[in-house]
C-alpha cells in the first residue's frame, strides 16, 4: 500500500469515529428526561434533591 492510502484510511477511521461520537451524544441529549431543563440527557438527580429541600 502507498503511504497516502494508509493515511486516508486512518483519517477516514478517525472521521467515522468522530461522527459516531457526535451522533451518540445528540441522541442521548434528545432522548433525555423531560424534567431536566438543560436537555443534556443527564440524570439531574442533584437538581431534584436540591428542589426537594
Amino acid at each position: 500500500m502507498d503511504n497516502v492510502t494508509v493515511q486516508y484510511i486512518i483519517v477516514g477511521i478517525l472521521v467515522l469515529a468522530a461522527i459516531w461520537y457526535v451522533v451518540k451524544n445528540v441522541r442521548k441529549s434528545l432522548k433525555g428526561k423531560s424534567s431536566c431543563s438543560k436537555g443534556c440527557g443527564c440524570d439531574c438527580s442533584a437538581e431534584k434533591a436540591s428542589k426537594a429541600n
Side-chain angles (χ1 to χ4, degrees):
M1 274 194 197
D2 193 21
N3 287 340
V4 175
T5 306
V6 173
Q7 288 177 353
Y8 279 134
I9 290 172
I10 292 171
V11 169
I13 290 170
L14 289 173
V15 167
L16 288 176
I19 290 172
W20 173 78
Y21 178 77
V22 168
V23 167
K24 183 181 79 165
N25 283 338
V26 167
R27 281 187 181 175
K28 186 177 169 184
S29 174
L30 292 176
K31 190 180 83 170
K33 297 178 182 175
S34 61
S35 64
C36 185
S37 62
K38 293 186 288 188
C40 62
C42 63
D43 187 19
C44 298
S45 60
E47 284 185 32
K48 290 177 186 175
S50 66
K51 287 181 182 178
N53 291 335

